[in-house]
Amino acid sequence: MRRSLSPFLLLLLPLFAFSQTQSIRGTVTDLESKIPIIGAAVVVLGSDPIIGTTTDIDGNFKLDKVEVGRVDVQVTYLGYSPRTFSGLVLQSGKELVLNVQMQEMVMKKEEVVVKATRKKDEVLNTMTTVSARVFSTEEASRYAGTRNDVSRMATNFAGVRGANDATNDIVIRGNSPTGLLWRLEEIDIPNPNHFGNLGSTGGPVSMLNANVLSNSDFLTGAFPSEYGNGVSGVFDLKMRHGNNEKHEFLGQIGFNGVELGAEGPFSKKSGASYLINFRYSTLALFALGGVDFGTGDAIPEYSDVSFKVRIPTKHAGIFEAFGMGGISSIEFLASQSEDDASNFYTQGGIDVYDRTMTGVAGLSHTYLFKNNSYLKTVIAGSTQLNQDVIDSVDLNKHPFDWYKQNFQDHRFQGLMYYKKKFNAKHNLKVGNRTTVFYSILQDSAFIPDWNDYQTLTDFDGVTALIQPFAQWQWRWNDSWTMNTGLHAQVLTLNGSYTIEPRWGLRWAVNPRHKLSLAYGLHSQMVALDKYFLVMEDSIGNREMPNKNLDFVKSHHVVLGYDWSLPFDMRLKLEAYYQYIYDAGIDSDSSSFSTLNIGSFSQDGPDNIVNGGVGTNYGLELTFEKFLSKGYYWLLTASLYDSKYRGSDGVWRNTVFNGNYVVNVLGGYELNLKRKNFKVKTPPPRIEQKDKRLARWNKKQDRKKNSQYSLKFDAKFTLAGGSRYTPIDINASALVKRAVYVDESAYSKQFEPYYRLDLSMTFRMSSGRITQEFMASCQNVTDKKNPLYNQYNPDQNRLVNVNQLGIYPLLQYRILF
């Protein structure tokens, strides 16, 4: 019996109101000290008559009756560099709220000529010198093939590629996806993805909801000293504030989930606000109604929630609470399937029960001092749970327990830092981050020769990672800037420590040309389950061979050139070299290295030691036209080489060494205003009723002024094929499982990868309602891109397992 989904669909029905414009408001503050700027001029560029205002005593501004659509906003103040926000989407269903941070100029001028320029090279973290880009959540929804996922969006940037189509793991400059640091609201967080494993950084579906994120930074090398425990890159994510003046709501349904969101003020006088968003798996929801999408019994079920509460006070500072969490589960049951049944995922001969849970919650307090400084304190807790049970299924479809896993990673984190702006030239930031890990790591497997279970990991204990840091910025003038600092790490489990210098220099040759050079030493723990692996022999003796592993360390050197071209274009070149040492390798002679660990990596040895090395070097090109006049395009190209050396002393390609990746993407937006709209004459029965006539006229006016847009986006990716280790077919036939040729590890490469993605979005703004309809398709040509090589023991042959084929997606969103 099919169940009704009407309670969900009713929430997505249009509501009717009668407003044809929208407001833009926000706050303007000093970039370094967070002090409000009084009297800054805020103007909507291109408006006629000019729409503008100035900020009040608290730095707040509001622009009323701005026509919905794409708008450009400029903020200026004497003695500060102007800020221009271009291509902002103003929708009738939602106010546009801007938090503007302005940087004081070193060399003051009596008269400043302001030009509307777009500066994508300016990131939120001013201590960053190179290899960084600020991105908006609008880009995550605009670019074709991103699925509203910031990780998939990042694969469009130079030096970045996806590990595979099924998950959002990203490979940065040839590094393992595990080298990525995830940070939310200045707190290091575990894997923020559904079905993500402990120690990994990706998964099939992201928990990070683009509807609640604000503009954020993405860094790919030589990052500032406040970032630690990562060697490849950083996602420094910010959540936006809820609207503190009026309540707004969101509804969205797509292949990735059904979403409901709300935000608004607790009271308009207090300035306090809330923001919350909930999502539930579309496939699981439709399965309740009897709708089958072809996944058989393997239905991915997941749900997640994100929230933020902000409470500003007059004298006690700003208090914020934030959080994100999700649960997910899926079952592959060969014991209950019919002989001809099939799942979207092939798991023949076994029952798999997979359950994951991730949650993060925190509190922060920011106190502004009167001497251009502030103190910020954040405390947070997070948890990640992986529970798996795998049963072997015999020919009679009787399950038998084979493997059990219960991995729990609980973290308690505290961050405190003090930031001081001495003057326009000097800024200092010092602080400390301490993370306490409480880990429960247990798994066991059945050993037929013993007729009993062997304990693989059994740990229940506490360790801590302490990370003090200090960074200083010296702006000699408006052309020269030096960022320098120190970061340290101490792991209390075994006393490992490292001191990491960071340094960067940027020279603005003129307003259009910039040169940058940066260096950094970075380090990272190996995955927790590696430290706490327990080895047990047949008589019960147990040991932890990897407890004393040191950090994996990496030297980064990056040289960059940035050219701001006319017509809203930009050219950027970066050359980099990375030397990695103390990577985890096999204690015996083999090709294994932790530098090759990823979503589909092979099982490694039990006993791991430091001593592995690796190199990554390459050249990156970014050539783009920012969104203006209704269109944009982006071309990124990367040439790179990624090598490593294991315990056998042989230099090899890493599994991520594709050697090149090219992305070409662009889009065009058409504004479809209604022309020659004829206002209908009201029927006689309405003319006799004043109230009904007023409603009729408002309805006609709303139709006349409704805004429509149609947007087309496309993306094409070409990349070197994945590396893989050949399988010895004869040796595999003897043992009925894959036997890899270790001495030839990653010597083979699949054919080049390419993919074409297309999307189309129709947006309608009418009254206080904005509706969006999006249709997209990934891998339009259905290219069979190989993912890995698999041995089939029944047929004694090798089979290529391909990545996702053609993948259509639909989405509907309403804002009101």
Side-chain angles (χ1 to χ4, degrees):
M1 178 178 179
R2 300 175 66 89
R3 302 185 184 182
S4 173
L5 300 181
S6 57
F8 297 93
L9 298 179
L10 286 174
L11 290 172
L12 304 181
L13 292 178
L15 305 178
F16 294 94
F18 308 102
S19 174
Q20 307 306 322
T21 58
Q22 187 54 276
S23 300
I24 302 175
R25 62 184 184 85
T27 305
V28 181
T29 59
D30 182 275
L31 178 62
E32 305 297 345
S33 67
K34 309 302 181 185
I35 300 297
I37 296 178
I38 305 171
V42 185
V43 177
V44 178
L45 298 176
S47 56
D48 187 16
I50 294 177
I51 301 175
T53 187
T54 57
T55 55
D56 61 17
I57 192 171
D58 296 315
N60 298 321
F61 68 89
K62 186 171 185 179
L63 303 169
D64 291 317
K65 297 182 179 181
V66 182
E67 186 177 354
V68 299
R70 295 280 181 181
V71 296
D72 298 341
V73 177
Q74 187 176 78
V75 185
T76 58
Y77 186 71
L78 185 64
Y80 281 74
S81 299
R83 293 293 309 274
T84 300
F85 301 86
S86 303
L88 300 174
V89 180
L90 183 61
Q91 304 172 107
S92 60
K94 182 172 179 57
E95 271 191 332
L96 180 59
V97 181
L98 301 175
N99 294 309
V100 183
Q101 299 183 31
M102 303 188 71
Q103 186 174 47
E104 186 178 2
M105 292 187 294
V106 177
M107 304 297 293
K108 305 295 191 299
K109 299 178 181 179
E110 294 298 326
E111 182 178 355
V112 178
V113 178
V114 177
K115 296 182 179 180
T117 58
R118 294 158 174 80
K119 296 185 177 180
K120 274 287 191 177
D121 59 315
E122 292 183 353
V123 294
L124 300 180
N125 190 330
T126 57
M127 298 286 187
T128 301
T129 306
V130 295
S131 301
R133 179 179 179 122
V134 63
F135 65 88
S136 67
T137 55
E138 191 268 338
E139 289 175 310
S141 60
R142 186 206 315 162
Y143 293 162
T146 59
R147 306 188 210 171
N148 295 326
D149 185 340
V150 295
S151 291
R152 289 183 167 92
M153 178 209 61
T155 61
N156 297 299
F157 301 151
V160 186
R161 65 173 295 176
N164 68 80
D165 293 342
T167 68
N168 58 11
D169 294 87
I170 58 174
V171 175
I172 300 174
R173 294 176 172 174
N175 285 280
S176 164
T178 60
L180 177 67
L181 171 65
W182 283 103
R183 180 167 289 183
L184 179 67
E185 291 292 298
E186 303 193 74
I187 288 295
D188 296 349
I189 62 174
N191 186 348
N193 292 281
H194 289 292
F195 307 103
N197 292 323
L198 188 70
S200 66
T201 58
V205 181
S206 175
M207 296 180 194
L208 296 167
N209 195 304
N211 291 316
V212 302
L213 293 178
S214 180
N215 289 356
S216 304
D217 287 341
F218 178 60
L219 296 79
T220 57
F223 19 94
S225 59
E226 64 187 89
Y227 302 107
N229 202 30
V231 295
S232 69
V234 178
F235 262 117
D236 191 356
L237 302 172
K238 311 294 184 184
M239 299 180 74
R240 62 182 181 86
H241 308 323
N243 194 319
N244 62 0
E245 290 191 2
K246 67 178 185 178
H247 297 280
E248 295 176 329
F249 305 94
L250 171 145
Q252 180 172 301
I253 182 170
F255 196 79
N256 286 338
V258 176
E259 298 183 27
L260 298 174
E263 61 182 287
F266 290 108
S267 69
K268 293 184 179 181
K269 293 182 179 180
S270 68
S273 64
Y274 71 90
L275 170 69
I276 187 168
N277 190 285
F278 173 78
R279 178 176 59 174
Y280 188 75
S281 166
T282 303
L283 293 182
L285 185 63
F286 280 14
L288 296 176
V291 180
D292 186 1
F293 281 88
T295 61
D297 296 328
I299 300 172
E301 298 186 17
Y302 55 85
S303 60
D304 53 64
V305 63
S306 302
F307 71 90
K308 185 175 183 179
V309 175
R310 188 173 190 267
I311 305 175
T313 65
K314 290 185 178 181
H315 305 293
I318 302 171
F319 296 87
E320 292 181 343
F322 60 91
M324 174 203 71
I327 57 176
S328 50
S329 64
I330 193 169
E331 298 178 355
F332 311 96
L333 303 180
S335 62
Q336 297 182 15
S337 63
E338 299 178 2
D339 291 339
D340 57 350
S342 62
N343 285 324
F344 180 71
Y345 306 90
T346 301
Q347 296 286 347
I350 59 175
D351 285 354
V352 178
Y353 303 84
D354 179 81
R355 179 173 179 263
T356 62
M357 179 179 70
T358 300
V360 179
L363 296 170
S364 72
H365 175 248
T366 304
Y367 187 81
L368 304 179
F369 297 99
K370 295 181 179 179
N371 61 346
N372 283 335
S373 66
Y374 67 93
L375 178 69
K376 185 163 187 178
T377 305
V378 188
I379 56 173
S382 67
T383 186
Q384 184 176 10
L385 171 69
N386 289 139
Q387 289 183 332
D388 293 305
V389 175
I390 301 178
D391 295 340
S392 178
V393 179
D394 61 22
L395 295 177
N396 296 320
K397 296 197 173 182
H398 295 149
F400 177 80
D401 287 348
W402 175 50
Y403 176 80
K404 296 180 179 179
Q405 180 193 84
N406 177 31
F407 281 6
Q408 300 180 37
D409 175 18
H410 307 285
R411 304 182 187 184
F412 305 93
Q413 191 168 160
L415 166 68
M416 178 179 288
Y417 67 82
Y418 174 76
K419 188 168 185 180
K420 168 69 174 176
K421 176 184 176 181
F422 294 96
N423 49 48
K425 291 187 175 184
H426 298 282
N427 296 286
L428 178 68
K429 185 176 183 179
V430 294
N432 182 73
R433 181 188 310 274
T434 298
T435 305
V436 178
F437 300 87
Y438 172 56
S439 301
I440 302 174
L441 305 174
Q442 300 170 336
D443 68 339
S444 60
F446 184 78
I447 307 299
D449 293 341
W450 298 0
N451 194 30
D452 199 357
Y453 289 91
Q454 180 188 21
T455 298
L456 303 177
T457 308
D458 187 5
F459 175 83
D460 181 353
V462 177
T463 186
L465 181 67
I466 303 171
Q467 302 179 74
F469 63 89
Q471 51 194 34
W472 168 50
Q473 182 182 76
W474 181 16
R475 301 171 63 207
W476 303 336
N477 51 45
D478 290 316
S479 297
W480 290 90
T481 301
M482 184 178 70
N483 298 306
T484 187
L486 284 175
H487 178 275
Q489 287 191 175
V490 179
L491 181 64
T492 61
L493 177 70
N494 55 26
S496 297
Y497 71 93
T498 179
I499 299 176
E500 306 164 4
R502 314 283 174 88
W503 177 86
L505 181 66
R506 180 168 57 245
W507 175 33
V509 181
N510 56 48
R512 291 193 176 275
H513 298 271
K514 293 181 181 179
L515 290 172
S516 303
L517 177 65
Y519 162 78
L521 174 61
H522 308 272
S523 62
Q524 184 181 33
M525 299 168 55
V526 298
L528 279 174
D529 61 311
K530 301 298 182 184
Y531 286 105
F532 304 132
L533 177 74
V534 175
M535 295 182 64
E536 182 178 358
D537 59 25
S538 58
I539 60 175
N541 295 320
R542 303 168 65 187
E543 64 173 343
M544 297 171 58
N546 305 324
K547 179 180 178 180
N548 292 318
L549 280 173
D550 200 352
F551 299 110
V552 179
K553 305 178 185 69
S554 171
H555 293 286
H556 289 211
V557 179
V558 185
L559 175 65
Y561 167 67
D562 204 304
W563 182 11
S564 295
L565 296 163
F567 308 109
D568 302 324
M569 294 190 298
R570 174 199 189 192
L571 176 68
K572 181 181 179 182
L573 293 170
E574 285 196 345
Y576 66 90
Y577 179 79
Q578 181 183 12
Y579 178 76
I580 307 171
Y581 62 103
D582 280 345
I585 56 176
D586 195 344
S587 59
D588 296 324
S589 179
S590 78
S591 65
F592 173 82
S593 173
T594 55
L595 302 183
N596 294 309
I597 292 178
S599 295
F600 295 98
S601 58
Q602 305 165 25
D603 293 335
D606 292 331
N607 198 339
I608 298 174
V609 297
N610 296 109
V613 296
T615 60
N616 296 307
Y617 59 90
L619 180 66
E620 299 169 357
L621 165 72
T622 299
F623 186 34
E624 64 183 314
K625 187 225 177 259
F626 303 122
L627 178 61
S628 65
K629 298 182 180 180
Y631 72 100
Y632 73 94
W633 48 260
L634 172 65
L635 167 66
T636 61
S638 305
L639 298 175
Y640 65 98
D641 191 58
S642 179
K643 294 288 200 302
Y644 82 101
R645 187 180 67 197
S647 57
D648 59 3
V650 178
W651 281 95
R652 297 182 173 88
N653 294 298
T654 68
V655 68
F656 308 109
N657 191 18
N659 295 124
Y660 66 91
V661 58
V662 179
N663 292 296
V664 181
L665 59 153
Y668 186 75
E669 186 173 26
L670 291 169
N671 290 319
L672 307 173
K673 289 187 177 181
R674 302 185 68 167
K675 296 182 178 180
N676 302 321
F677 179 82
K678 295 182 180 181
V679 178
K680 295 182 179 180
T681 302
R685 67 179 185 278
I686 290 182
E687 290 181 344
Q688 300 172 3
K689 304 289 185 180
D690 292 340
K691 291 184 178 180
R692 295 181 65 183
L693 179 61
R695 288 197 297 268
W696 173 275
N697 291 333
K698 287 183 178 180
K699 183 176 180 180
Q700 294 297 304
D701 187 58
R702 176 173 56 82
K703 289 183 177 180
K704 179 181 179 180
N705 293 285
S706 295
Q707 299 283 341
Y708 303 90
S709 67
L710 185 62
K711 183 163 62 75
F712 301 91
D713 297 278
K715 172 189 173 182
F716 178 75
T717 298
L718 174 66
S722 300
R723 301 278 179 175
Y724 67 98
T725 300
I727 296 176
D728 188 329
I729 192 75
N730 295 323
S732 300
L734 295 176
V735 295
K736 297 296 182 181
R737 60 177 177 82
V739 177
Y740 293 90
V741 184
D742 186 72
E743 58 268 23
S744 300
Y746 312 118
S747 60
K748 300 293 184 180
Q749 186 175 21
F750 288 119
E751 62 189 60
Y753 170 104
Y754 69 82
R755 196 179 90 187
L756 175 64
D757 302 332
L758 300 175
S759 71
M760 180 177 66
T761 303
F762 175 72
R763 181 184 296 120
M764 177 175 61
S765 294
S766 179
R768 293 177 183 170
I769 308 298
T770 296
Q771 300 179 79
E772 289 182 355
F773 304 84
M774 188 270 288
S776 67
C777 186
Q778 293 182 210
N779 196 7
V780 174
T781 63
D782 200 24
K783 171 68 165 60
K784 308 300 182 185
N785 291 303
L787 179 59
Y788 59 88
N789 209 236
Q790 187 178 62
Y791 174 69
N792 186 324
D794 296 329
Q795 301 178 4
N796 191 31
R797 67 186 185 94
L798 301 179
V799 179
N800 283 344
V801 177
N802 294 322
Q803 307 205 46
L804 289 181
I806 189 169
Y807 191 66
L809 291 169
L810 297 174
Q811 179 178 290
Y812 169 75
R813 184 167 74 149
I814 181 171
L815 301 169
F816 55 94

